[in-house]
Amino acid sequence: MRVVVPFAVDQPKTRLSATLSADERRVFARAMLADVLAAVDATGHEPTVLATAELDADASAALPDDSDVVVDDSPLSTAVNDVLATAEDPVAVLMSDLPLVKPETVRRLVAKSGDVVVAPGRGGGTNALVVRDADFRVDYHGASYLDHRAAARDVGASLGTVDSFRLATDVDEPSDLTEVLIHGDGAAADWLVDAGFQLSVDEGRVGVVREEERS
Ligand SMILES: Nc1nc2c(ncn2[C@@H]2O[C@H](COP(=O)(O)OP(=O)(O)OP(=O)(O)O)[C@@H](O)[C@H]2O)c(=O)[nH]1
Ligand SMILES: C[C@H](OP(=O)(O)O)C(=O)O
């Protein structure tokens, strides 16, 4: 199955700006992209990066050999809907900020039955979809998990849901870095460790600290 991976090339992950500089967010976003693409590639499914701009050398380095790249500077939902409108076969849409995703996670997603399969993110978002219905269209942001379920019902599509910790864990906020350090073992986790991040336990609560901040 074609697995479309939307990727914001410029100024990604602004909600991490209290913790990472603009340059660091660029590099970290590319490390997460590499983890997602590696997981897809290991399953034999074909990744297509849906990028907001031409990929630079760092982002291109994350691409497995058989990847396609589509550049579309439209807003996220418009760009994904452009893909869905011309797709002749089922398509999966998997976000690029899911560094805990493993090949088995991708296999579970694409194996789930339903004309529209939704994998919720924490907080009401939609971290992955499988679309087997020609009339279904996306509408991201806000409580998009609920919106996508309603949109599927509106076009008469049957619904599947994938309840997966690894798919639900998108990295949006500084607190999400904790999950990457605990459960990640790919490029994103390695980058965080190299950048000096480590787990901290403060009054029983787990978080992250950066080495330079502890001294
Ligand atoms: N093609 C495309 N992908 C996008 C766009 N905006 C976000 N994405 C990707 O969609 C996924 C979810 O987006 P967000 O969680 O909002 O990521 P983000 O825009 O980098 O982060 P914030 O700036 O913190 O909102 C990530 O894989 C992004 O790289 C867009 O306008 N076009
Ligand atoms: C794309 C968007 O991501 P979030 O902003 O919720 O991380 C969504 O899941 O609808």
Side-chain angles (χ1 to χ4, degrees):
M1 189 183 295
R2 172 78 34 207
V3 181
V4 174
V5 181
F7 182 62
V9 173
D10 297 313
Q11 301 184 331
K13 292 292 131 202
T14 54
R15 283 169 282 177
L16 294 176
S17 54
T19 305
L20 299 177
S21 70
D23 278 352
E24 288 173 331
R25 283 183 275 119
R26 278 178 70 85
V27 178
F28 183 56
R30 282 150 179 73
M32 293 196 288
L33 173 69
D35 287 340
V36 170
L37 293 177
V40 175
D41 189 51
T43 65
H45 294 289
E46 309 99 31
T48 295
V49 177
L50 178 59
T52 50
E54 295 292 339
L55 297 185
D56 50 62
D58 288 343
S60 296
L63 300 181
D65 285 344
D66 59 350
S67 315
D68 283 338
V69 179
V70 172
V71 176
D72 185 338
D73 65 1
S74 314
L76 175 62
S77 297
T78 309
V80 171
N81 283 332
D82 286 348
V83 172
L84 296 179
T86 55
E88 291 175 1
D89 297 311
V91 173
V93 184
L94 180 64
M95 293 315 192
S96 66
D97 56 356
L98 304 170
L100 303 188
V101 164
K102 297 284 195 183
E104 180 51 32
T105 326
V106 177
R107 285 190 201 102
R108 246 187 93 193
L109 173 71
V110 301
K112 185 77 186 178
S113 60
D115 298 329
V116 174
V117 173
V118 191
R122 284 175 298 114
T126 304
N127 287 352
L129 285 163
V130 176
V131 182
R132 302 186 176 96
D133 183 292
D135 295 325
F136 176 83
R137 295 292 179 267
V138 297
D139 184 7
Y140 285 107
H141 301 302
S144 65
Y145 170 67
L146 297 175
D147 295 340
H148 287 144
R149 289 175 63 89
R153 277 188 226 106
D154 286 348
V155 296
S158 62
L159 260 169
T161 303
V162 180
D163 180 2
S164 158
F165 172 75
R166 289 184 179 275
L167 279 174
T169 307
D170 49 339
V171 177
D172 290 331
E173 310 284 344
S175 59
D176 299 326
L177 301 179
T178 308
E179 306 300 340
V180 184
L181 283 180
I182 293 174
H183 302 284
D185 59 6
D190 288 349
W191 186 86
L192 286 177
V193 171
D194 288 348
F197 287 91
Q198 54 187 276
L199 292 173
S200 69
V201 182
D202 187 14
E203 296 184 354
R205 297 188 65 87
V206 182
V208 295
V209 286
R210 204 168 186 175
E211 241 163 33
E212 63 196 16
E213 289 168 0
R214 294 189 314 140
S215 51

